Protein backbone atom coordinates (compact mmCIF):
# COMPACT_ATOMS: atom_id res chain seq x y z
CA UNK A 1 0.00 0.00 0.00
CA UNK A 2 1.05 3.54 -0.56
CA UNK A 3 1.81 5.79 2.38
CA UNK A 4 -1.27 7.87 1.63
CA UNK A 5 -3.52 4.81 1.64
CA UNK A 6 -2.08 3.72 4.98
CA UNK A 7 -2.62 7.17 6.46
CA UNK A 8 -6.21 7.32 5.22
CA UNK A 9 -6.89 3.88 6.65
CA UNK A 10 -5.37 4.85 9.99
CA UNK A 11 -7.43 8.05 10.10
CA UNK A 12 -10.64 6.11 9.41
CA UNK A 13 -9.87 3.68 12.23
CA UNK A 14 -9.25 6.59 14.60
CA UNK A 15 -12.58 8.19 13.65
CA UNK A 16 -14.35 4.90 14.36
CA UNK A 17 -12.66 4.69 17.77
CA UNK A 18 -13.68 8.25 18.61
CA UNK A 19 -17.26 7.56 17.57
CA UNK A 20 -17.35 4.59 19.93
CA UNK A 21 -16.22 6.78 22.84
CA UNK A 22 -19.46 8.69 23.19
CA UNK A 23 -21.31 8.02 26.43
CA UNK A 24 -24.94 8.94 26.84
CA UNK A 25 -26.17 10.50 30.06
CA UNK A 26 -28.38 7.46 30.61
CA UNK A 27 -25.42 5.07 30.30
CA UNK A 28 -23.40 7.20 32.67
CA UNK A 29 -26.16 7.26 35.28
CA UNK A 30 -26.56 3.50 35.14
CA UNK A 31 -22.87 2.82 35.83
CA UNK A 32 -21.65 1.84 39.27
CA UNK A 33 -18.82 3.83 40.87
CA UNK A 34 -16.49 0.87 40.24
CA UNK A 35 -17.47 0.80 36.54
CA UNK A 36 -16.79 4.52 36.28
CA UNK A 37 -13.42 4.16 37.97
CA UNK A 38 -12.42 1.32 35.65
CA UNK A 39 -13.55 3.28 32.60
CA UNK A 40 -11.61 6.37 33.69
CA UNK A 41 -8.48 4.29 34.25
CA UNK A 42 -8.80 2.73 30.79
CA UNK A 43 -9.38 6.12 29.17
CA UNK A 44 -6.37 7.61 30.98
CA UNK A 45 -4.17 4.81 29.69
CA UNK A 46 -5.55 5.31 26.16
CA UNK A 47 -5.03 9.08 26.48
CA UNK A 48 -1.36 8.62 27.39
CA UNK A 49 -0.90 6.25 24.46
CA UNK A 50 -2.58 8.70 22.09
CA UNK A 51 -0.36 11.53 23.33
CA UNK A 52 2.74 9.41 22.94
CA UNK A 53 1.65 8.66 19.37
CA UNK A 54 1.15 12.41 18.79
CA UNK A 55 -2.57 11.86 18.29
CA UNK A 56 -3.62 14.91 20.26
CA UNK A 57 -7.19 15.01 18.96
CA UNK A 58 -7.91 11.57 20.36
CA UNK A 59 -6.16 12.48 23.62
CA UNK A 60 -8.35 15.57 23.93
CA UNK A 61 -11.52 13.58 23.30
CA UNK A 62 -10.49 11.11 25.99
CA UNK A 63 -9.68 13.97 28.38
CA UNK A 64 -13.15 15.40 27.83
CA UNK A 65 -14.79 12.03 28.46
CA UNK A 66 -12.79 11.57 31.65
CA UNK A 67 -13.95 15.00 32.82
CA UNK A 68 -17.55 14.13 31.99
CA UNK A 69 -17.38 10.87 33.93
CA UNK A 70 -15.64 12.34 36.97
CA UNK A 71 -18.07 15.29 37.17
CA UNK A 72 -20.95 12.84 37.41
CA UNK A 73 -19.35 10.91 40.28
Amino acid sequence: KSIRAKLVEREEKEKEKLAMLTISQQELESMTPLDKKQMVNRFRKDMRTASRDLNFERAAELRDLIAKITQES
Side-chain angles (χ1 to χ4, degrees), residues 15-50:
K15 284 181 183 178
E16 289 174 10
K17 286 180 185 178
L18 287 175
M20 292 181 356
L21 291 177
T22 58
I23 300 172
S24 71
Q25 188 65 30
Q26 183 179 10
E27 290 173 317
L28 197 55
E29 290 172 358
S30 69
M31 295 174 72
T32 66
L34 179 60
D35 290 338
K36 290 179 184 180
K37 184 177 180 178
Q38 289 173 339
M39 183 173 280
V40 166
N41 288 337
R42 189 180 79 229
F43 286 166
R44 283 187 177 141
K45 181 181 174 187
D46 291 347
M47 184 176 66
R48 285 190 296 272
T49 300

Side-chain angles (χ1 to χ4, degrees), residues 56-70:
F56 301 117
E57 290 176 8
R58 178 169 167 76
E61 287 283 337
L62 289 162
R63 178 204 60 213
D64 295 345
L65 279 171
I66 291 168
K68 181 179 178 181
I69 294 167
T70 55

